[in-house]
Amino acid sequence: MTTKKKEQPAPRISVIGTGYLGATHAAAMAELGFDVIGVDTDQSKVDALRDGRVPFFEPGLPELITEHVASGRLNFTTDIAEATALADVHFICVGTPQQSGSFAANLSYVEAAARSIAQNMTHDGVIVGKSTVPVGTAARLRAIVAAELPDGVSAELVWNPEFLREGKAVEDTLSPDRLVFGGTSERSEAVLRRIYATPIETGTPVLVADLPTAELVKVSANAFLATKISFINAIAEVCDAAGADVSLLADALGHDVRIGRQFLNAGLGFGGGCLPKDIRALMHRSSELGAHAAVGLLQQVDEINMGRRQRVIDLALEACGGSVLNRRIGVLGAAFKPHTDDVRDSPALNVAAALHLRGAQVVVYDPEARATAQRMFPTLGYADSVEEAVNGADVTVVLTEWPEFVEADPAALAAIVHGKTVIDARNCLDATAWSRAGWAVHVMGRVPEGAPIADDLAALAGVR
């Protein structure tokens, strides 16, 4: 007679860090059916999350947290000893910001989290790193955990990188496009497969890797996306000089299945809390490892990206006759991209602040990022609507491609501005519709219809 194997109880989960990654991961794990406790050192943040108040904008997350706090599956605490005693699997979801005065990642939060988990463990468990870290970090954390574990308690540290897109973080956690398990044993892999059973059953592929590979996946993905953005922005400069249309060019490139159309939108460039600091951290770590080809490539990617901000500033200066002093500029957008209130390293807010420093009266409107922008740059003017931002403006600058801006009525706005000049720094407006409404439309990489081609290029073509 065959004895049926008794099914083990579902693992209980702790999530260390309840910022953007941690709060989303905790709520998603509860949605997948697990008992979850989130840990943070900030009591006010813990209190807010218990009330379903999320300290950042992420569609769908407040509702998910509220639902599962009410269901009893999700709780938050500042007591890491309580969390580790209750949980079997501990996810490290703390930040790895750029170090002050260096491109290197600040790993103090990750190291502190690993140390605290190990010190407070009361029974065997699995520690899972999700934070984005330089390659080699996990091996060092394993040593820290081994040194701090109480006698008689064992823990395995593995890596499971996150691949969240701001604005789609809940979807990306519940239905990821891939799962990477790094440094797992048969036992810890089985634990992770149980936790992610729902997405795995619906077709999400699982890649089992060594620790260094798992650590490199996220930063490599971000570096590739950043490279793609900087490539099309470099080509946009060629289009400006040659009289070509970078948007049509990108469409043509995108039909090549080897290239694809995503992340080929020329414009102001990338920002946010991930891509800039991740490519710089990879640059720093690559240099330490002697992989200098990657350093040179990523340095060019970073420089091209930062140069796009100056290009928009230059366009605004040109539109105002060489100086923005005492000119009113309506700025549409502060977040680094739409569907988020994140202004970390935001190209939009950087351009707005630079114009303000040159003497312009800058009025900013963003549907979600006003509060975060105002905390960072309180001296800028802020509006509650598109109309208020551009009313009486000499120049209007679109810096974030929110649907509200894309769908705005150019004729209605033309009636309230002082100067009908718009700089479309995201290549997101219908330039023909705006032109018909009387606007002079300036777009990077798309020379206005009828504009003369540079004399030297015309000569090379044999026109004269």
Side-chain angles (χ1 to χ4, degrees):
M1 182 176 177
T2 303
T3 303
K4 186 177 180 180
K5 186 176 180 181
K6 185 178 179 182
E7 186 176 352
Q8 294 296 313
R12 297 161 298 180
I13 293 172
S14 73
V15 176
I16 315 305
T18 61
Y20 185 83
L21 168 61
T24 305
H25 191 69
M29 293 299 99
E31 175 70 6
L32 292 176
F34 298 96
D35 290 333
V36 184
I37 183 164
V39 186
D40 205 285
T41 57
D42 186 338
Q43 183 67 57
S44 63
K45 186 188 293 185
V46 166
D47 292 340
L49 289 168
R50 283 173 174 167
D51 292 338
R53 292 180 287 113
V54 180
F56 51 86
F57 176 71
E58 180 59 38
L61 184 57
E63 296 82 357
L64 205 60
I65 288 176
T66 300
E67 176 185 348
H68 291 300
V69 168
S71 74
R73 285 184 190 164
L74 180 60
N75 196 8
F76 296 94
T77 183
T78 57
D79 188 345
I80 195 166
E82 172 193 8
T84 51
L86 289 172
D88 309 297
V89 181
H90 315 277
F91 284 93
I92 297 176
C93 296
V94 297
T96 53
Q98 188 175 322
Q99 285 186 22
S100 177
S102 170
F103 279 177
N106 180 350
L107 298 176
S108 61
Y109 305 107
V110 169
E111 292 173 357
R115 184 173 287 108
S116 294
I117 293 168
Q119 290 171 343
N120 287 286
M121 287 182 70
T122 58
H123 57 281
D124 295 352
V126 179
I127 303 172
V128 186
K130 288 200 75 68
S131 303
T132 303
V133 296
V135 61
T137 301
R140 187 162 70 254
L141 295 182
R142 280 186 168 177
I144 291 173
V145 168
E148 299 291 346
L149 280 172
D151 292 340
V153 177
S154 67
E156 187 176 344
L157 185 140
V158 300
W159 220 259
N160 168 222
E162 59 90 5
F163 302 105
L164 304 189
R165 297 168 294 172
E166 292 195 36
K168 298 183 178 179
V170 172
E171 173 190 342
D172 288 344
T173 307
L174 294 174
S175 302
D177 54 16
R178 78 281 208 196
L179 289 163
V180 177
F181 302 157
T184 52
S185 65
E186 184 178 341
R187 175 182 172 275
S188 57
E189 182 185 336
V191 169
L192 289 176
R193 285 183 179 275
R194 183 166 186 185
I195 289 172
Y196 292 110
T198 299
I200 291 172
E201 286 169 1
T202 58
T204 297
V206 175
L207 294 90
V208 180
D210 53 75
L211 278 178
T213 302
E215 291 171 302
L216 278 168
V217 171
K218 174 61 185 293
V219 291
S220 298
N222 279 352
F224 184 80
L225 296 177
T227 301
K228 203 170 180 183
I229 294 167
S230 284
F231 167 81
I232 199 64
N233 280 331
I235 295 299
E237 290 189 12
V238 179
C239 289
D240 277 335
D245 186 328
V246 74
S247 292
L248 285 176
L249 186 149
D251 289 342
L253 292 177
H255 284 292
D256 188 325
V257 294
R258 299 168 300 173
I259 298 172
R261 183 62 177 80
Q262 286 190 309
F263 288 84
L264 281 181
N265 293 320
L268 184 51
F270 58 82
C274 291
L275 260 65
K277 65 102 175 172
D278 285 353
I279 66 169
R280 292 165 189 164
L282 181 55
M283 250 191 280
H284 181 86
R285 185 65 177 134
S286 299
S287 180
E288 289 180 333
L289 294 170
H292 299 297
V295 178
L297 172 64
L298 294 173
Q299 185 170 335
Q300 284 296 309
V301 168
D302 202 10
E303 288 177 358
I304 291 168
N305 186 61
M306 296 305 293
R308 304 312 286 171
R309 305 180 186 194
Q310 185 59 51
R311 176 60 180 147
V312 175
I313 294 165
D314 291 343
L315 285 173
L317 290 168
E318 292 168 14
C320 291
S323 172
V324 294
L325 183 64
N326 295 323
R327 297 296 191 95
R328 182 179 172 92
I329 298 180
V331 169
L332 301 183
F336 84 94
K337 71 172 189 175
H339 310 297
T340 181
D341 64 350
D342 194 346
V343 296
R344 290 175 294 174
D345 205 354
S346 169
L349 202 53
N350 181 265
V351 168
L355 293 172
H356 170 72
L357 288 174
R358 285 166 172 77
Q361 180 190 355
V362 177
V363 183
V364 180
Y365 169 65
D366 190 288
E368 293 294 341
R370 173 173 177 161
T372 51
Q374 205 159 7
R375 285 196 295 271
M376 187 170 289
F377 288 102
T379 57
L380 296 176
Y382 293 91
D384 293 321
S385 67
V386 172
E387 292 75 16
E388 183 183 349
V390 306
N391 187 34
D394 296 291
V395 176
T396 298
V397 188
V398 180
L399 299 177
T400 310
E401 60 272 38
W402 283 98
E404 183 178 346
F405 306 155
V406 177
E407 296 162 6
D409 182 351
L413 297 182
I416 61 173
V417 296
H418 182 262
K420 289 185 281 190
T421 297
V422 62
I423 298 170
D424 179 8
R426 292 294 184 182
N427 268 321
C428 62
L429 302 181
D430 183 340
T432 301
W434 282 71
S435 295
R436 287 173 179 166
W439 291 82
V441 184
H442 298 266
V443 185
M444 292 185 288
R446 294 170 64 186
V447 176
E449 187 175 351
I453 298 174
D455 286 346
D456 56 336
L457 291 172
L460 287 172
V463 174
R464 53 166 207 180

